[in-house]
Amino acid sequence: KAILSEAEFVKQSTYQRDRYEMVFKNILLKGVKFKSLVSNNGIEAESGSVQAGLKIFNDRTLPPDPKSKQGKYPHQLLMKVAMPVFIKELKINNSDVSYRERSVLTEEIGHTFFTNLNAVISNVTNMPEKIKQNAVCKLAATTSILGKVTLSTQWDIQINRQEGGVSARAQMEGLSASE
C-alpha cells in the first residue's frame, strides 16, 4: 500500500513525478550462491521468478521536472545499490501494470493497463566482474494491452553505459484500424 494517496502525492509535489505502488508475490530464487550471500552480503543466483503488480500515476498539470532522468532508469539505479547483485535469468510471471495520468489539457485522468505480463530478463547485475563478461541485459516480454492487443517487446540494455544505450523492438497483434 502506498504511503500517500494520489491526491496527497500531487499536493506535496512541485514537479511532475511518477507515483509507484508495487506488490511482489511468489518470489523465488534458485541456485543461490551462499558464499556470496555470507561473505559479500550479495545476491548471486542462477534464476529467479516473481509475480508483480505495479500501479503508476502522474499528474501532467504540474510543471515538468527540469532535471535530467539520466541515471534514474531501473538498470542505472541497480548500479547504485551497495549490495552486489547477479541473477542470470529473472522471470516475471502473470503480472499487471496500470498507468494513470492526469491530462494537462482536460484535467481528466486517462488509464491504460497491461495484463498477463510475462517477461524473461537475463544478466541482471551490478557486479563489475559480471559486467566485464557480459555488458548486455536482455529483456523479452509479452503482455495484453487493455485486454485486446498483444504486445511483444525485446530490449537490449547496455548496463556499462551511463548515458543509456538501450535498443528495443516491438510487435503488436490484434489491433484494428477501427479501434
Side-chain angles (χ1 to χ4, degrees), residues 107-165:
E107 295 192 11
E108 296 289 323
I109 294 176
H111 183 205
T112 190
F113 54 91
F114 304 86
T115 55
N116 196 28
L117 171 68
N118 293 285
V120 177
I121 309 169
S122 63
N123 199 33
V124 177
T125 189
N126 63 357
M127 297 171 67
E129 63 274 16
K130 298 291 186 181
I131 295 169
K132 283 180 186 173
Q133 293 172 9
N134 180 4
V136 179
C137 174
K138 293 184 176 278
L139 180 147
T142 60
T143 189
S144 175
I145 304 172
L146 300 173
K148 295 183 179 186
V149 177
T150 300
L151 172 66
S152 300
T153 64
Q154 300 81 37
W155 300 67
D156 292 338
I157 303 163
Q158 301 291 327
I159 52 180
N160 62 343
R161 294 176 53 187
Q162 286 297 314
E163 69 280 0

Side-chain angles (χ1 to χ4, degrees), residues 36-166:
S36 180
L37 188 62
V38 173
S39 62
N40 297 336
N41 289 327
I43 296 175
E44 198 168 343
E46 283 298 309
S47 65
S49 63
V50 66
Q51 183 180 9
L54 175 62
K55 294 179 182 178
I56 306 165
F57 174 76
N58 196 317
D59 190 328
R60 299 288 180 189
T61 63
L62 294 172
D65 190 340
K67 296 179 189 167
S68 170
K69 290 184 181 180
Q70 187 173 335
K72 297 179 183 174
Y73 294 102
H75 67 288
Q76 295 167 329
L77 293 173
L78 178 60
M79 296 302 291
K80 296 175 184 178
V81 172
M83 175 178 63
V85 175
F86 173 71
I87 303 172
K88 188 173 183 179
E89 182 179 274
L90 177 62
K91 291 184 179 179
I92 300 172
N93 301 310
N94 194 27
S95 297
D96 298 315
V97 176
S98 165
Y99 181 78
R100 300 178 64 229
E101 178 177 293
R102 183 178 311 277
S103 168
V104 68
L105 297 175
T106 66
E107 295 192 11
E108 296 289 323
I109 294 176
H111 183 205
T112 190
F113 54 91
F114 304 86
T115 55
N116 196 28
L117 171 68
N118 293 285
V120 177
I121 309 169
S122 63
N123 199 33
V124 177
T125 189
N126 63 357
M127 297 171 67
E129 63 274 16
K130 298 291 186 181
I131 295 169
K132 283 180 186 173
Q133 293 172 9
N134 180 4
V136 179
C137 174
K138 293 184 176 278
L139 180 147
T142 60
T143 189
S144 175
I145 304 172
L146 300 173
K148 295 183 179 186
V149 177
T150 300
L151 172 66
S152 300
T153 64
Q154 300 81 37
W155 300 67
D156 292 338
I157 303 163
Q158 301 291 327
I159 52 180
N160 62 343
R161 294 176 53 187
Q162 286 297 314
E163 69 280 0
V166 176

Side-chain angles (χ1 to χ4, degrees), residues 24-35:
F24 298 101
K25 299 186 283 187
N26 304 319
I27 300 169
L28 177 66
L29 289 175
K30 292 183 180 178
V32 175
K33 295 187 178 179
F34 286 100
K35 182 180 178 183

Side-chain angles (χ1 to χ4, degrees), residues 148 174-179:
K148 295 183 179 186
L175 182 66
S176 68
S178 63
E179 293 185 74

